[in-house]
């Protein structure tokens, strides 16, 4: 106790102690009970017998020491929590949430408030939906092989830094997971969510495959070959794995030699012919989707519907899909790209489109919850069929010819640091 008093003599630490704490420490130890008196009769000086002394009451063990020790360590714990909170190391406010809810992680810009679209919605009429929204750059993912996934989020809301950690039940991804820009490659987060088995819209597999545009364009080439140029007019494109295969064109004023630029990036590149678009750009940029441009809504024809329905089948299926095409001044259409759940919403129907996405997410969450409820329970223990010998040695039952029984699969033993087998782990044999 004296050692602890010396260690806790710091003034900043003592100031955070609860009221009456030092008084409990300075309280003297309880007095030891007197030794029990002898029951043997003693003769008095006058010679008369002295009556035997009565036996003392049973000794009561002090209960205060145990409660004092428990209060001592509890006080230290409270002091540490208060000190950490005062230093700003932990968040003091605790967010109260319903006991039964599903967490929806939306990866999108903060300008789009997805929480209001799911307010009052229920999963199976029983679970509330709690929306956590952040950008790719504001989250980190840690996944385990047992199927659990933890997301750490650090966002700024109204000038206040909010730090949360949660396990998402579903993910809606409305941002591009990969870009050539520095620090814009978030494919590792997609891998983490896939590793943790988190369901999403679109599927994490399709989102990962759409990160590289030439990889997705290869799927459009296969569709072009099946349907033909008349039904699926795909733009001509050339792929270069690196700058060494690129060539310099003669018209240097309109198309510069970018081989040196590509050499710095150490990546692939693609080239396409310039299509003179019919779309009018107000800014005068040759890219009609850059700056301000006149938006004109066109009707959904069977031709356009065929494009979308066909492209939605790639990579196992796209729940949210968009096909980018250029309508040239020559009256012809040129398909350039397919986009997934990160497709931009433009025009005067953005609110309606956003509500349709929310309804689709709600339906998918209900399907995922129903599938999870009907899934069989995974076994927690496995009984090995063979005996265990010295330090993980597998002892098989002898067969009739004296040899060991051939294994029906592989059985891998995990050894701890002392070389003792701690349990079997089944491994699928190839």
């Amino acid at each position: 106790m004296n050692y602890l008093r010396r260690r806790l003599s710091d003034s900043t630490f003592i100031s955070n102690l609860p009221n009456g704490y030092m008084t409990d420490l300075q309280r003297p130890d309880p007095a030891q009970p007197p030794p029990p008196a002898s029951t043997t009769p003693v003769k008095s000086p006058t010679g008369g017998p002295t009556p035997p002394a009565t036996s003392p009451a049973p000794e009561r063990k002090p209960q205060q020491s145990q409660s004092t020790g428990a209060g001592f360590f509890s006080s230290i714990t409270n002091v540490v929590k208060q000190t950490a909170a005062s230093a700003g190391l932990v968040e003091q406010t605790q967010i109260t949430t319903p006991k039964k809810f599903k967490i929806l992680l939306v990866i999108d810009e903060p300008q789009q408030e997805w929480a209001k679209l799911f307010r009052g919605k229920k999963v199976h009429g029983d679970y509330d939906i709690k929306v956590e929204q952040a950008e790719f750059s504001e989250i980190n993912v840690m996944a385990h092989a047992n199927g659990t996934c933890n997301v750490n989020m650090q966002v700024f809301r109204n000038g206040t830094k909010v730090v949360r950690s949660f396990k998402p039940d579903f993910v809606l991804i409305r941002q591009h997971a990969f870009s050539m820009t520095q620090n814009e490659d978030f494919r590792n987060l997609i891998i983490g969510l896939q590793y943790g088995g988190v369901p999403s819209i679109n599927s994490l597999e399709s989102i990962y495959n759409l990160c590289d545009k030439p990889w997705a364009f290869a799927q459009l080439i296969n569709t072009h070959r099946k349907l033909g140029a008349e039904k699926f007019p795909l733009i001509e494109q050339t792929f270069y794995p690196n700058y060494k295969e690129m060539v310099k064109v003669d018209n240097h004023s309109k198309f510069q030699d970018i081989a040196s630029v590509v050499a710095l990036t150490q990546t692939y590149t693609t080239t396409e012919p310039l299509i003179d678009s019919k779309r009018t750009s107000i800014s005068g940029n040759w890219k009609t989707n850059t700056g301000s441009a006149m938006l004109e809504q066109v009707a959904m024809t069977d031709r356009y519907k065929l494009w979308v329905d066909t492209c939605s089948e790639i990579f196992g299926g796209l729940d949210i899909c968009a096909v980018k095409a250029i309508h040239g001044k020559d009256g012809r259409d040129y398909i350039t790209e397919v986009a997934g759940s990160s497709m931009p919403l433009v025009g005067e129907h953005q609110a309606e489109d956003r509500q349709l996405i929310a309804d689709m997410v709600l339906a998918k969450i209900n399907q995922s919850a129903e599938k999870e409820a009907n899934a069989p329970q995974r076994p927690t223990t496995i009984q090995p069929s063979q005996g265990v010998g010295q330090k993980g040695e597998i002892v098989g039952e002898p067969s009739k010819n004296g040899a060991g029984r051939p294994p029906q699969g592989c059985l891998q033993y995990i050894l701890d640091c002392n070389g003792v087998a701690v349990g079997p782990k089944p491994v699928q044999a190839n």
Side-chain angles (χ1 to χ4, degrees):
M1 186 64 68
N2 291 332
Y3 172 76
L4 290 176
R5 288 175 179 173
R6 291 194 301 269
R7 297 294 296 175
L8 301 177
S9 60
D10 181 61
S11 60
T12 60
F13 195 79
I14 295 299
S15 62
N16 290 322
L17 291 175
N19 295 331
Y21 177 77
M22 294 303 299
T23 306
D24 294 338
L25 290 180
Q26 298 175 359
R27 184 178 298 169
D29 297 335
Q32 297 293 333
S38 176
T39 58
T40 306
V42 182
K43 294 183 179 181
S44 62
T46 58
T50 304
T54 59
S55 59
E59 181 182 358
R60 295 183 179 179
K61 295 182 180 180
Q63 300 290 338
Q64 186 178 359
S65 59
Q66 182 177 0
S67 61
T68 303
F72 172 74
F73 289 107
S74 177
S75 300
I76 289 183
T77 303
N78 294 332
V79 169
V80 173
K81 290 181 179 180
Q82 294 175 6
T83 306
S86 61
L89 300 179
V90 296
E91 188 178 6
Q92 294 180 345
T93 59
Q94 183 178 2
I95 302 176
T96 59
T97 55
K99 293 182 179 179
K100 299 181 65 175
F101 58 89
K102 296 291 184 180
I103 297 180
L104 169 63
L105 172 61
V106 179
I107 300 178
D108 198 358
E109 298 177 353
Q111 292 82 359
Q112 310 297 336
E113 297 181 5
W114 288 91
K116 63 181 181 180
L117 297 178
F118 293 93
R119 189 174 294 118
K121 303 294 183 180
K122 296 284 186 178
V123 178
H124 287 174
D126 194 14
Y127 292 90
D128 293 328
I129 297 180
K130 178 183 178 183
V131 178
E132 296 286 359
Q133 183 172 339
E135 299 184 67
F136 270 122
S137 59
E138 298 172 329
I139 65 173
N140 193 17
V141 177
M142 181 177 63
H144 303 274
N146 59 2
T148 61
C149 181
N150 295 324
V151 175
N152 298 322
M153 182 178 69
Q154 295 185 8
V155 298
F156 283 91
R157 295 290 184 265
N158 300 323
T160 304
K161 184 177 181 180
V162 180
V163 180
R164 291 196 185 100
S165 180
F166 54 89
K167 297 180 181 180
D169 297 291
F170 201 89
V171 181
L172 170 62
I173 298 179
R174 292 282 301 142
Q175 272 191 330
H176 294 290
F178 174 73
S179 174
M180 293 292 185
T181 310
Q182 186 178 5
N183 299 326
E184 293 293 331
D185 185 0
F186 304 106
R187 289 176 292 183
N188 57 338
L189 300 179
I190 301 297
I191 295 175
L193 294 172
Q194 176 76 358
Y195 197 94
V198 182
S200 67
I201 282 186
N202 288 340
S203 68
L204 296 173
E205 179 182 359
S206 66
I207 292 174
Y208 189 88
N209 283 316
L210 286 174
C211 286
D212 288 304
K213 292 184 178 181
W215 184 264
F217 195 85
Q219 299 294 320
L220 302 183
I221 295 176
N222 295 333
T223 304
H224 173 75
R225 293 171 180 172
K226 294 178 181 179
L227 299 180
E230 183 65 25
K231 294 183 178 180
F232 198 82
L234 188 64
I235 193 172
E236 296 181 2
Q237 190 178 91
T238 305
F239 173 81
Y240 300 95
N242 50 57
Y243 74 98
K244 296 180 181 179
E245 300 296 332
M246 294 181 64
V247 293
K248 179 180 178 181
V249 297
D250 296 332
N251 193 346
H252 185 273
S253 60
K254 293 185 178 180
F255 187 78
Q256 297 179 355
D257 180 14
I258 61 172
S260 57
V261 178
V262 178
L264 296 176
T265 60
Q266 295 295 324
T267 185
Y268 56 79
T269 185
T270 58
T271 60
E272 300 172 352
L274 176 62
I275 304 299
D276 194 3
S277 174
K278 188 178 179 180
R279 183 179 178 182
T280 304
S281 175
I282 299 178
S283 60
N285 197 299
W286 65 271
K287 291 184 178 181
T288 55
N289 61 343
T290 301
S292 300
M294 297 294 296
L295 296 179
E296 180 183 356
Q297 184 175 353
V298 296
M300 173 62 72
T301 63
D302 294 338
R303 175 183 174 89
Y304 297 154
K305 188 176 184 301
L306 176 64
W307 297 355
V308 178
D309 292 341
T310 306
C311 292
S312 65
E313 298 175 356
I314 66 174
F315 301 131
L318 306 178
D319 298 299
I320 302 175
C321 176
V323 178
K324 295 183 179 181
I326 299 175
H327 186 71
K329 290 184 177 180
D330 56 0
R332 300 173 57 186
D333 295 324
Y334 301 88
I335 298 175
T336 60
E337 185 183 351
V338 59
S341 59
S342 60
M343 56 171 284
L345 302 180
V346 296
E348 58 184 6
H349 299 287
Q350 297 184 34
E352 180 182 355
D353 294 339
R354 197 171 291 111
Q355 183 62 54
L356 292 175
I357 294 177
D359 295 339
M360 184 181 300
V361 170
L362 181 61
K364 287 289 184 177
I365 294 179
N366 279 279
Q367 295 177 8
S368 177
E370 183 177 358
K371 182 179 179 181
E372 182 181 355
N374 297 331
Q377 297 292 333
R378 297 177 59 183
T380 57
T381 59
I382 300 175
Q383 296 294 335
S385 58
Q386 293 92 347
V388 181
Q390 296 291 334
K391 289 189 178 182
E393 178 184 358
I394 301 176
V395 181
E397 297 180 3
S399 59
K400 293 182 181 181
N401 56 5
R405 176 181 298 177
Q408 301 298 321
C410 296
L411 189 65
Q412 177 183 354
Y413 269 79
I414 303 176
L415 304 181
D416 62 4
C417 58
N418 297 323
V420 180
V422 296
K425 176 183 179 182
V427 180
Q428 181 67 34
N430 295 325

